[in-house]
Amino acid sequence: MAARTFLRRTDTTWVQVTPEVLDTAAADAFLRTGQAGGVVLFVGITRRFTHGRETVKLSYDAYVPMAGQEMRRLASEAAQRWPVHRACLLHRVGAVPVAEASVVLGVACAHRAAAFAACRWLIDTLKAQVPIWKQETYADGSTEWVEGQG
Amino acid sequence: MAARTFLRRTDTTWVQVTPEVLDTAAADAFLRTGQAGGVVLFVGITRRFTHGRETVKLSYDAYVPMAGQEMRRLASEAAQRWPVHRACLLHRVGAVPVAEASVVLGVACAHRAAAFAACRWLIDTLKAQVPIWKQETYADGSTEWVEGQG
Amino acid sequence: MTDPAPRSSPRPAAEPVAVHVLLFSVLRENIGQPALQVDVPHPASVAALLEILEARYPPVASYRSVLRVAVNQAYAEEEAPLTAGDEVALITPVSGG
Amino acid sequence: MTDPAPRSSPRPAAEPVAVHVLLFSVLRENIGQPALQVDVPHPASVAALLEILEARYPPVASYRSVLRVAVNQAYAEEEAPLTAGDEVALITPVSGG
């Protein structure tokens, strides 16, 4: 049985892949530091309607240990590109009901411009690089593996 | 005695000016909806060091009723510019200790690009338009009213 | 032809407009009060009020170039007229967030 | 001059390289297995492995142009060599987030 969780947490970086509900408040608390003036959080949520089709369930498959390593790599790369004080990258796997979070990415920087840029880069790059796949289950019972733009 | 709080909360917009601690988890919960795929939150935090000077306390003065009205106006304007499903604009007034939040702004949109753009616009515009003023108290006991760029 | 007497007599001066001026942050601190009652001669406008305040309170003069004014909780232009009982706020550059 | 005999005899063929191939999402579903054991003839590379898989599994062939490969949990180029026991993952376009 392949690993279903990944967790590395230091004082400055928290990376986790887990089948459990993601805790935005814990992410926010982790990111708070007297050094940072701006925290930007991105929360990805299971949407009920996509192009008019109703989704009843999203399920995420992941190559968990590599996904965790890639997310750590993204955190380091973000910290090289922007003055990031703290970052968290949390991704849920398995079933994610509508309106629950599949991903929580957060960045704390001294100034807001860097925090926005780094958080946006993290989600864009995660969606292109991290080995996680989304399967939609539609209201008509059909399922589909969503393919990203690479 | 002037009003110290402002609160207007509908199904889609939550605007509040308050001397109480801001609750990021409540903001995140408010923003969740099956229509939105991306939530972006900005949390402004009291920074300990600014240009090398140590801040021990920030205190915010506000023209509370007008600040609330302006924040409502920003929420409507954001909803005209981007397809915003939900927005929250929460600002704390009075003393805000280091590492606590002075402002929480959140936007939920179907797609992340709009959510990032709208959230960034909200904080930039709030900082220029909303009648709230920050006073730094430094470690040497001196105080200073910070003046924004207008 | 004679002018009708009532029209040639001096018209009674219009009442000055009494407004409530709110001060915040650095202006409240430097002037030492949170609010002022000011009578603005007719026809009263934001500009006329600012002229009076500028003459009376040096801190208003020193912030004049960056000052914005809100009338009844909304930003107003300098030409905006004032009505008795208006709530006027002097807004120095804001720094919320 | 005579060639030394040992050098002219055929060299013993190198052992094929046995690797563990992991499948996810659409490939796992279409191939019907979460993992494959594959022997890649020497000299083994990612490209050589892909050639074998493409011939054996039509779903691999149909995703070949968009497929990325990870060796031991890191993305690898097609020229990358494979060693016995390597963990190789076939990565179709990802869609996390």
Side-chain angles (χ1 to χ4, degrees):
Chain A
M1 184 67 192
R4 292 212 61 202
T5 62
F6 179 98
L7 173 62
R8 294 290 185 287
R9 188 169 162 158
T10 68
D11 284 351
T12 57
T13 309
W14 174 14
V15 173
Q16 188 163 8
V17 180
T18 172
E20 308 292 331
V21 171
L22 301 181
D23 185 344
T24 318
D28 177 46
F30 174 78
L31 295 167
R32 298 288 183 92
T33 153
Q35 295 177 290
V39 165
V40 174
L41 283 156
F42 174 79
V43 183
I45 291 176
T46 299
R47 201 165 50 214
R48 186 178 299 279
F49 290 97
T50 301
H51 306 307
R53 289 187 82 178
E54 183 176 2
T55 297
V56 289
K57 196 180 80 171
L58 274 188
S59 183
Y60 286 88
D61 187 20
Y63 181 15
V64 172
M66 179 175 167
Q69 294 302 342
E70 283 289 303
M71 285 158 70
R72 286 180 75 190
R73 201 178 58 72
L74 297 193
S76 330
E77 196 174 331
Q80 281 164 16
R81 290 169 174 244
W82 293 277
V84 172
H85 287 300
R86 294 197 185 166
C88 71
L89 296 87
L90 317 177
H91 206 299
R92 189 165 169 188
V93 289
V96 182
V98 165
E100 292 195 13
S102 52
V103 65
V104 174
L105 301 178
V107 175
C109 296
H111 299 284
R112 69 187 184 282
F116 273 101
C119 188
R120 180 67 198 269
W121 180 86
L122 280 180
I123 179 62
D124 288 353
T125 312
L126 180 148
K127 279 175 172 275
Q129 296 294 338
V130 177
I132 300 179
W133 297 266
K134 172 161 63 179
Q135 185 183 43
E136 304 253 10
T137 299
Y138 297 107
D140 62 10
S142 63
T143 65
E144 182 186 11
W145 286 103
V146 178
E147 285 169 30
Q149 304 309 306
Chain B
M1 185 65 193
R4 292 212 59 200
T5 62
F6 179 97
L7 173 62
R8 293 290 186 286
R9 188 169 163 158
T10 68
D11 284 352
T12 57
T13 309
W14 174 14
V15 173
Q16 188 161 8
V17 180
T18 172
E20 308 292 331
V21 171
L22 301 181
D23 185 343
T24 318
D28 177 47
F30 174 78
L31 295 167
R32 299 288 184 92
T33 153
Q35 294 177 290
V39 165
V40 173
L41 282 156
F42 174 79
V43 183
I45 291 175
T46 298
R47 201 164 50 212
R48 186 177 297 278
F49 290 96
T50 301
H51 306 307
R53 290 187 81 179
E54 184 177 0
T55 296
V56 290
K57 196 180 81 171
L58 274 189
S59 183
Y60 286 88
D61 187 19
Y63 181 14
V64 173
M66 179 175 165
Q69 293 303 341
E70 281 290 304
M71 285 158 70
R72 287 180 74 191
R73 201 178 57 72
L74 297 194
S76 330
E77 196 174 332
Q80 280 162 18
R81 290 169 173 243
W82 293 278
V84 172
H85 287 301
R86 295 199 184 164
C88 71
L89 296 87
L90 316 178
H91 207 299
R92 190 165 169 189
V93 289
V96 182
V98 165
E100 292 196 13
S102 52
V103 65
V104 174
L105 301 178
V107 175
C109 296
H111 299 284
R112 70 187 184 280
F116 273 102
C119 189
R120 179 69 199 267
W121 180 86
L122 280 180
I123 179 62
D124 288 353
T125 312
L126 180 146
K127 280 175 172 276
Q129 295 294 339
V130 177
I132 299 179
W133 298 266
K134 172 160 64 179
Q135 185 184 43
E136 304 254 10
T137 300
Y138 297 107
D140 62 12
S142 64
T143 64
E144 182 186 12
W145 286 103
V146 178
E147 284 168 32
Q149 302 310 307
Chain C
M1 292 194 298
T2 46
D3 290 339
R7 288 195 191 145
S8 66
S9 71
R11 289 159 59 190
E15 288 282 305
V17 172
V19 298
H20 191 63
V21 177
L22 301 180
L23 304 174
F24 300 93
S25 78
V26 69
L27 284 186
R28 188 185 52 214
E29 205 165 276
N30 290 355
I31 293 176
Q33 297 179 62
L36 311 165
Q37 273 304 131
V38 183
D39 287 342
V40 187
H42 211 77
S45 67
V46 166
L49 169 66
L50 284 172
E51 232 170 90
I52 294 171
L53 292 172
E54 207 175 348
R56 213 173 282 173
Y57 301 99
V60 173
S62 67
Y63 276 94
R64 182 71 172 82
S65 65
V66 292
L67 211 54
R68 284 186 289 180
V69 174
V71 177
N72 299 326
Q73 307 180 3
Y75 286 112
E77 302 296 323
E78 301 230 340
E79 306 76 48
L82 293 177
T83 307
D86 277 351
E87 178 177 295
V88 179
L90 303 189
I91 317 269
T92 54
V94 301
S95 53
Chain D
M1 292 198 299
T2 47
D3 288 340
R7 290 198 188 141
S8 68
S9 72
R11 288 160 59 191
E15 288 282 304
V17 171
V19 298
H20 192 62
V21 178
L22 302 179
L23 304 174
F24 299 93
S25 77
V26 69
L27 283 186
R28 188 184 53 213
E29 203 164 278
N30 290 355
I31 293 174
Q33 297 178 65
L36 310 165
Q37 273 303 131
V38 182
D39 286 342
V40 186
H42 211 77
S45 67
V46 167
L49 169 65
L50 284 172
E51 232 170 90
I52 294 171
L53 292 172
E54 209 175 347
R56 214 173 282 174
Y57 302 100
V60 174
S62 66
Y63 276 93
R64 182 72 171 82
S65 64
V66 292
L67 212 54
R68 283 186 290 181
V69 174
V71 177
N72 300 326
Q73 307 181 4
Y75 286 112
E77 302 296 323
E78 301 230 341
E79 306 75 48
L82 293 176
T83 307
D86 278 350
E87 178 176 295
V88 180
L90 303 189
I91 317 270
T92 55
V94 301
S95 53

